[in-house]
């Protein structure tokens, strides 16, 4: 898979998980898990768009 396509797929996954985590009925622990999944998907990479860029880094422990 080309790096641009991989970046698009990664961003779509992050967006989906973020939307699910923002639902009001979700438990706080589930929200934390979702944020950790986002950090794992993104790793230390930079997700770029024409209008913005986001840098994700996983936390160093809980």
């Amino acid at each position: 898979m080309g790096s641009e396509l991989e970046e698009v797929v990664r961003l779509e996954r992050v967006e989906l998980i973020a939307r699910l985590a923002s639902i009001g009925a979700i438990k706080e622990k589930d929200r934390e898990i979702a944020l950790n999944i986002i950090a794992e998907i993104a790793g230390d990479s930079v997700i770029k768009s024409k209008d913005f860029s986001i840098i994700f880094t996983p936390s160093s422990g809980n």
Side-chain angles (χ1 to χ4, degrees), residues 1 5 8 11-12 16 22-24 26 28 32 35-36 39 41 44-45 47 52 54 56 60 62:
M1 202 181 318
L5 179 57
V8 169
L11 181 58
E12 287 175 348
L16 172 63
S22 67
I23 296 171
I26 192 171
E28 186 59 31
E32 289 176 24
L35 293 174
N36 282 324
I41 290 171
D44 288 326
S45 65
I47 297 176
F52 66 93
I54 303 171
F56 292 95
S60 59
N62 293 331

Side-chain angles (χ1 to χ4, degrees), residues 17 20-22 26-40 59 61-62:
I17 294 168
L20 293 174
S22 67
I26 192 171
K27 296 178 184 176
E28 186 59 31
K29 182 66 176 173
D30 293 337
R31 188 180 325 275
E32 289 176 24
I33 291 169
L35 293 174
N36 282 324
I37 292 170
I38 290 171
E40 287 177 18
S59 63
N62 293 331

